[in-house]
Amino acid sequence: MERALHNLIEPPGLIRAFLDHPPEGFRSWTLAQGVPAFSAPFNLLTTVEPALRKKLERLPFSRHWQRWLTPYTCFVGATCTEFAPLPDGTPEAFLRDLLQRALPQHSFIIIKDIPTNSTLIGEPAWQQSQALIAACARHDFVLVEGQALAYVPLDFATIEEFLARMSKARRKDLTRKLKTRTNLRIETLMTGDACFFDAAVLERYYALYLEVYRQSEIHFDCLTPEFLRALLQDATSSGRVFAYEVDGELIGYNLCFVHKGMLLDKYVGFRYPQAREHNLYVISWFHNLQYALAQGLTHYVAGWTDPEIKRHLGASFTLTRHAVHVRNPLLRNLLKPFKRFFEADATWHSQTR
C-alpha cells in the first residue's frame, strides 16, 4: 500500500487492517500496485430490493436453490473503502492482470463501487474511473448501478443553519429527538488510546458492533474482533471514537476517521434497546456534524446503509457503479436484462430526487 491509489478517501491503515484481518469467511489479497481484493461467497440477492428479496426467500425450498445464487466471487476493492481503489496507468493492463489471476478460481468478478462523478474524490480520480468503465465494456463486463453513498457538504456555519434548511415538520421531529442528549455522557477518544489495549474494553466494543450487525437486513461482511482491534489500536490513522454512555454504561459508539478534510463515519456499535430509547442514531449524526464543523472539515461522509433515514437527516447522495464479469457466457447474457432488479438504491435515488 505504498503507492497512492485513485478513489481512496480513507487512511491507508484501514486497507492494511482489512488485508491482515478480512471479514469472516473472506480471503483477502492484492492486485497490481497494491489494489486490494477479496474472495467470498456472494448471495446475488443481497442488493435486490428488500421487498422482492423477502418474497423470493419465502418460496418453497429457497434454502436449497439459493445455494446456486451464491457463487464464489472475486471483488476488487475492500469493504472498508467507500470507492474502488484504482491504480495509475492504463485500465487495459489492470483488467488483463485481473482476469488472468481471478477467472480460473471465481465464477464472478465484481469491481465494486466505481464513482459516477467527482464528488469527494476529485477530477483526476474520476477521469481514471471513467477510463476503467470504458475498458470494462470492452472486456465483457456488465455495468450495474450501485449503492447510494450518503454525505453532507459542510457549507453551513452552525447546526441551527443546517436545520433551518429542512421542512418545519422534519425540523420539529429532529429537535425533539435531540433533547435526549442531556441524558448522555459523550466522550471523544483517539484511536491508539490506552483504553483500547484493555481486552475487556475491546470485547465490549465488539459486542456492540455485533448487535448492529445482527439486526441489519443485509448480512455480507461480518468484521472480526481482530480487525476492530487493529483499527482501535492504530494511533496513526487519525481515528476518532465518539462514545455514548448512560449512567456509566456504554450504549453506543461511532468509529470515524479524519482524512483529506473529511470526517468518515465507518463503524458503529449500539446497545439495544437503550440506543433507540435515547435516539442515539439521530444524536450521533448531529454530534458528528458538530465535530466536523469545529474541525473546519469540508464533508461528513456517512456510508451506504439506511439511505431513507439519512435523507431525513439531511444527507446528499452520490451513486456508484459495479462492473460485473461472469465467467459463463450464457449467464453473462442473462444478467443484462435482469440487472435492474439489483439496482435498488439507484431506483430509490431517482424516485426521491
Side-chain angles (χ1 to χ4, degrees):
M1 289 307 303
E2 296 301 322
R3 296 190 183 185
L5 296 172
H6 293 289
N7 300 335
L8 185 61
I9 65 173
E10 294 82 5
L14 268 74
I15 291 185
R16 287 196 297 268
F18 176 87
L19 292 172
D20 291 341
H21 310 289
E24 290 183 5
F26 288 27
R27 181 176 69 87
S28 60
W29 44 295
T30 56
L31 294 160
Q33 298 188 38
V35 173
F38 63 94
S39 305
F42 178 56
N43 188 332
L44 297 179
L45 299 182
T46 299
T47 59
V48 169
E49 197 276 325
L52 176 58
R53 184 173 66 247
K54 289 177 181 178
K55 289 180 181 178
L56 293 172
E57 289 172 348
R58 287 196 294 265
L59 292 175
F61 308 110
S62 65
R63 282 189 179 181
H64 300 284
W65 56 256
Q66 278 198 56
R67 286 182 295 182
W68 297 98
L69 295 178
T70 310
Y72 194 57
T73 301
C74 164
F75 290 88
V76 177
T79 61
C80 63
T81 60
E82 307 297 1
F83 302 110
L86 299 178
D88 264 331
T90 63
E92 293 284 348
F94 174 70
L95 289 178
R96 284 196 298 268
D97 176 66
L98 169 64
L99 293 170
Q100 183 177 8
R101 294 182 59 184
L103 268 185
Q105 298 85 25
H106 303 88
S107 302
F108 280 62
I109 299 173
I110 301 177
I111 306 175
K112 60 187 291 293
D113 303 318
I114 305 169
T116 59
N117 56 56
S118 62
T119 303
L120 305 179
I121 60 168
E123 190 68 22
W126 182 61
Q127 292 293 341
Q128 188 74 357
S129 299
Q130 290 297 102
L132 175 72
I133 287 175
C136 283
R138 294 191 293 270
H139 285 268
D140 294 322
F141 281 77
V142 178
L143 294 175
V144 180
E145 297 300 322
Q147 294 175 282
L149 174 64
Y151 70 97
V152 179
L154 299 175
D155 55 356
F156 48 91
T158 65
I159 295 298
E160 289 71 24
E161 181 184 341
F162 179 65
L163 286 168
R165 299 175 177 180
M166 302 179 184
S167 68
K168 182 178 180 181
R170 193 191 308 183
R171 192 164 62 246
K172 181 178 179 181
D173 173 62
L174 296 175
T175 302
R176 175 181 58 81
K177 290 176 178 175
L178 287 171
K179 289 180 180 179
T180 57
R181 272 185 304 198
T182 57
N183 302 321
L184 297 168
R185 177 177 178 268
I186 306 174
E187 184 177 13
T188 301
L189 299 165
M190 305 291 289
T191 54
D193 189 275
C195 72
F196 296 125
F197 292 82
D198 183 322
V201 171
L202 293 173
E203 185 177 347
R204 189 155 59 247
Y205 271 71
Y206 187 68
L208 266 60
Y209 159 74
L210 282 182
E211 287 204 37
V212 175
Y213 175 81
R214 287 168 178 160
Q215 62 86 46
S216 174
E217 283 190 350
I218 296 177
H219 294 97
F220 178 51
D221 58 324
C222 182
L223 307 181
T224 65
E226 293 78 13
F227 175 79
L228 187 60
R229 180 191 65 203
L231 295 187
L232 292 174
Q233 293 180 352
D234 183 1
T236 69
S237 63
S238 298
R240 307 289 191 273
V241 179
F242 304 115
Y244 299 83
E245 294 184 0
V246 172
D247 298 328
E249 178 190 9
L250 181 69
I251 67 165
Y253 68 88
N254 284 82
L255 173 53
C256 302
F257 296 87
V258 176
H259 194 62
K260 295 185 176 180
M262 296 179 280
L263 181 66
L264 312 173
D265 191 350
K266 283 296 182 180
Y267 301 107
V268 63
F270 287 148
R271 173 79 67 198
Y272 297 112
Q274 294 94 323
R276 291 192 182 96
E277 292 168 352
H278 291 275
N279 299 306
L280 209 51
Y281 199 112
V282 172
I283 289 173
S284 63
W285 177 275
F286 281 93
H287 183 79
N288 293 346
L289 286 178
Q290 184 62 63
Y291 182 87
L293 283 174
Q295 299 298 310
L297 303 179
T298 62
H299 292 82
Y300 168 49
V301 182
W304 305 101
T305 58
D306 305 321
E308 186 60 43
I309 295 174
K310 290 171 181 174
R311 185 193 66 80
H312 183 72
L313 292 170
S316 299
F317 296 90
T318 180
L319 290 172
T320 62
R321 286 178 174 177
H322 308 314
V324 183
H325 189 283
V326 184
R327 186 173 59 190
N328 186 309
L330 176 61
L331 290 178
R332 190 186 310 153
N333 290 326
L334 284 174
L335 174 62
K336 294 177 183 178
F338 289 100
K339 69 174 187 174
R340 69 183 186 279
F341 294 110
F342 301 93
E343 301 175 332
D345 273 16
T347 302
W348 169 84
H349 187 252
S350 65
Q351 293 173 345
T352 57
R353 293 181 70 175

